[in-house]
Every structure is written in structure tokens, then in C-alpha cells.
Amino acid sequence: MNQTSLVPGSIAEHTGCLLIKLGQVVFRLVEADLSRLGLRVRHYSILQALADQGSMTQLALGGYLRIDPATMVSSLDDLEHRTLATRVRDPQDRRRHVVELTSAGRRMLARVNGALEDLDTRLLHDLAADERAALHRSLRVLAEGPTLPAALDADRETAPGRVT
Amino acid sequence: MNQTSLVPGSIAEHTGCLLIKLGQVVFRLVEADLSRLGLRVRHYSILQALADQGSMTQLALGGYLRIDPATMVSSLDDLEHRTLATRVRDPQDRRRHVVELTSAGRRMLARVNGALEDLDTRLLHDLAADERAALHRSLRVLAEGPTLPAALDADRETAPGRVT
């Protein structure tokens, strides 16, 4: 229906504008795909963090994933309702709770990872294999920082209400 | 405050997840910066499209930028209120209106383009110059498609209400 670029004309001269638009489009397509499994990207992030790091408090999870407390609570409610994660008393400190991955959560995580791998293959089809690898490396460098994480954290401190 | 990657652990194995998160972070930082000029990214896109393509109808602008009609109307209202763009009768077909860039709009566009160039330099600082150039090229390929534009347009047809 529309043959123009996602980032038409001179707008595409700005790398930032390309990143913004491609991020939005990929987000929309990934969310559409994961909705088949009844999940959103943020649910996947939480399950994967628990698989990578082991049980964590809600606060630690929110800091690790930079998810605000309100979103974290509702996402954990969703996961607990689906029995993919559960809040349990911390065996090391019985006054606090930690979030734990369930075995159903671990099985679901394997399916989501498969879906995400398929999506990468499908959505990045217009790039050659070496271009895809280089893109992946550069995006990882940006994510690891120091520049972007520090800039985001500074903005979160000055304007905590701003939507990410 | 937080030394972890924006996309921590195994989540960073998925290029799509990196694109989603970096897009969100860059969007937030670019919006914060452009707010000094009283503009949002979508206002810039409209001004730039008019500078690139000349006057266009509201419908054509929406198609070109893939902005839904409601967002387009409110963004054009903002621009008209700031006298950066104006709706005028189409000289070639006096029954319809086209959106035209004003001279104030053109001056503002130069300032926004300067701000966006500075942001690219600042936010992509962790990459070497050749990596930045390669990243830019690959993102442009993805934006131009055919894969991603076609996938987005198909999803917009099936689920027009989904937020991009």
C-alpha cells in the first residue's frame, strides 16, 4: 500500500531518527508476534532476567531492567497469574520476597526465545549475514555504554515521569 | 546509578530487542532535547517532509510519514498555532487544502536539524567513525525495505488501532 521508506527523505540523514522509527516498528511487530503466546516484550525481559540472574527482589529486577515500579508490579501480576513466575519469601532473609521463575516459566522462555530468533531472521532479511553481525555488535556497544545508559539514567533522575 | 547494560544478559542476543530498547532510549533523549524548542519528533518529521516534498495534503502527508489521521491533525494544529506550517487552499485544486511550510517553519527546521546532528554525535559517541557509518547504512537499508515497510503496512491493515 505504501512504497516509501519507513524514514523518508532527509529524515533518514539522522541515525537517531532511524533508530527511533525502526525501534518503534520492530516493537510493534514483536509485540504482535508474542501476543500469540499471550505475552509482551516486558514479560519476556523479566523471565529472561530471572533465568540469567536467578531469583531477585522486585526492586532489584526493576533496577536491572530499568522498569518503573508500577509497570513492574503489573507485569509480575500478569506472570504470576499465568504461573510463569512467583513471589516467594527469600530463604536468605525471610522478611522480604523475591521473584522466582517457575518451571512453566522456563518452558515458556524457551518458546519465546525461539520466536525472537525467528523474528530476527525474518525482520533483518534485507541485510547480508555480515551486515547483520556488524549491526548486532554496534547496537550492543551502544546498549552497554557508557554514553547511552548514563544519559538515560540522568534523564530518569531529572524527569522520572517521562515515558520511555 | 545503574551500571548495567540497557539490554542486560541474554536479552542482548536478540537484535530485535536491542533495536527496540535503543529506539525507546534515543526517542526519550531526543524528545527531551527537542522540547527546548517546544517540538516533538513528529513535528520535525512533518516540517522535514514539507521541506523535502513541497506542500502536501494532510492525507498525503499521513501516508508518506505513516502517521495516523488523529495524530496528524493534532500535530498540524500545533504547527499552525506556532505558525511553522499553515493549511492553505491548493492552487491546483481549490476544493482541497494543502499543508505548506512557512518561512518561520523553515528557520525552525534548520535549528532542529542542527540539534539532531549534535544528538547523533553525542549519543553515538561509543562507536568509532567507521562503525557509525556502517550502522547508519544498515539502518537505512532496513528502513527502505522491502521487508520492514511491508511487514508494518500489513500489520497496520490487520490491526489499525495498534500503537506504533
Side-chain angles (χ1 to χ4, degrees):
Chain A
M1 87 195 242
N2 193 323
Q3 297 310 306
T4 55
S5 169
L6 294 173
V7 186
S10 324
I11 306 169
E13 287 170 19
H14 304 293
T15 313
C17 291
L18 288 162
L19 273 172
I20 290 171
K21 188 64 181 186
L22 290 170
Q24 287 170 338
V25 169
V26 170
F27 179 66
R28 179 178 173 138
L29 297 171
V30 170
E31 291 263 299
D33 193 83
L34 294 191
S35 72
R36 293 179 301 115
L37 303 171
L39 292 182
R40 303 198 54 185
V41 172
R42 66 169 70 116
H43 297 125
Y44 156 70
S45 300
I46 295 170
L47 295 176
Q48 188 64 62
L50 295 171
D52 287 346
Q53 299 281 316
S55 302
M56 292 169 96
T57 64
Q58 198 168 291
L59 191 69
L61 255 179
Y64 182 74
L65 294 170
R66 292 180 176 78
I67 293 180
D68 68 89
T71 308
M72 183 53 79
V73 167
S74 76
S75 304
L76 289 177
D77 288 346
D78 298 339
L79 290 172
E80 208 157 24
H81 183 72
R82 304 270 311 273
T83 66
L84 300 173
T86 174
R87 292 165 171 109
V88 295
R89 236 173 244 290
D90 184 355
Q92 272 145 54
D93 177 355
R94 299 198 44 84
R95 287 163 303 179
R96 63 179 200 172
H97 286 78
V98 290
V99 185
E100 197 173 82
L101 193 61
T102 64
S103 53
R106 206 169 290 276
R107 285 193 302 276
M108 175 60 89
L109 187 55
R111 293 179 64 190
V112 177
N113 272 305
L116 289 171
E117 275 168 43
D118 291 349
L119 278 162
D120 269 6
T121 308
R122 189 149 60 81
L123 300 181
L124 304 175
H125 180 261
D126 298 339
L127 295 176
D130 60 330
E131 292 170 327
R132 270 155 64 175
L135 172 67
H136 190 94
R137 270 197 310 276
S138 288
L139 295 176
R140 266 193 103 123
V141 168
L142 292 175
E144 282 165 16
T147 299
L148 277 182
L152 174 64
D153 290 339
D155 192 67
R156 288 182 85 200
E157 282 194 28
T158 13
R162 205 181 338 253
V163 177
T164 312
Chain B
M1 91 198 240
N2 194 323
Q3 297 310 307
T4 55
S5 169
L6 294 173
V7 186
S10 324
I11 305 168
E13 286 170 19
H14 304 294
T15 312
C17 292
L18 287 163
L19 274 171
I20 291 171
K21 189 64 182 184
L22 290 171
Q24 288 170 339
V25 169
V26 170
F27 179 65
R28 179 179 174 138
L29 297 172
V30 170
E31 292 260 301
D33 193 82
L34 294 191
S35 71
R36 292 180 302 116
L37 302 171
L39 293 182
R40 303 198 54 185
V41 173
R42 66 169 70 114
H43 297 124
Y44 156 70
S45 300
I46 295 171
L47 295 176
Q48 189 65 63
L50 295 172
D52 287 346
Q53 299 280 314
S55 302
M56 292 168 94
T57 65
Q58 198 167 291
L59 191 69
L61 256 179
Y64 181 74
L65 294 170
R66 291 178 174 80
I67 293 179
D68 69 88
T71 307
M72 183 55 80
V73 167
S74 77
S75 303
L76 289 178
D77 288 346
D78 298 338
L79 291 172
E80 209 158 24
H81 182 70
R82 304 270 311 271
T83 66
L84 301 173
T86 174
R87 293 164 170 109
V88 294
R89 235 172 246 291
D90 184 356
Q92 270 143 58
D93 177 354
R94 300 199 42 85
R95 288 162 304 178
R96 63 177 199 172
H97 286 78
V98 289
V99 185
E100 198 173 81
L101 193 60
T102 64
S103 51
R106 204 170 290 277
R107 284 193 303 274
M108 175 61 88
L109 187 56
R111 293 179 64 189
V112 178
N113 271 306
L116 290 170
E117 274 168 46
D118 290 348
L119 278 162
D120 269 7
T121 308
R122 189 150 61 82
L123 300 181
L124 304 175
H125 180 260
D126 298 338
L127 295 176
D130 61 329
E131 291 169 328
R132 270 155 64 175
L135 173 67
H136 191 94
R137 270 197 308 278
S138 288
L139 295 176
R140 265 193 104 122
V141 168
L142 292 175
E144 281 164 16
T147 299
L148 277 182
L152 174 63
D153 290 338
D155 192 66
R156 288 181 86 199
E157 281 193 29
T158 13
R162 198 169 356 242
V163 177
T164 312

